[in-house]
Amino acid sequence: MEKVDLNSAAVEIIETLPAVGPKLAQEIVRYREERGPFQKVEDLLDVKGIGPKKLSRLAPYLIFGSNDEQ
């Protein structure tokens, strides 16, 4: 699976991540639109529906645009 840039990905792309359905994908986009781009993976803990366990499952599939060092 290709990595997903959470700072630019559409809801439909975010839904392809493990353990992310339509509702959570929309919540991630809403959070990004209200608070600005994600700076680091831990920022996702502030999104309703994401806890430490889900975050550890998602982390290998995420990048954060120009904030990512890859």
Side-chain angles (χ1 to χ4, degrees):
M1 172 181 247
E2 284 192 36
K3 292 192 176 200
V4 173
D5 181 352
L6 282 189
N7 288 331
S8 63
V11 171
E12 297 80 15
I13 300 298
I14 296 171
E15 284 180 36
T16 66
L17 293 166
V20 176
K23 188 174 181 180
L24 184 54
Q26 186 60 51
E27 193 66 29
I28 291 169
V29 170
R30 185 188 63 76
Y31 181 93
R32 177 180 78 196
E33 289 172 349
E34 290 179 0
R35 300 196 183 186
F38 294 98
Q39 300 296 313
K40 58 188 183 300
V41 72
E42 291 81 12
D43 290 347
L44 279 169
L45 292 172
D46 294 331
V47 177
K48 183 180 176 183
I50 298 181
K53 190 173 183 178
K54 189 169 285 192
L55 181 66
S56 67
R57 198 165 166 205
L58 290 172
Y61 303 103
L62 304 177
I63 58 173
F64 299 95
S66 61
N67 299 318
D68 193 76
E69 295 179 2
Q70 292 189 23

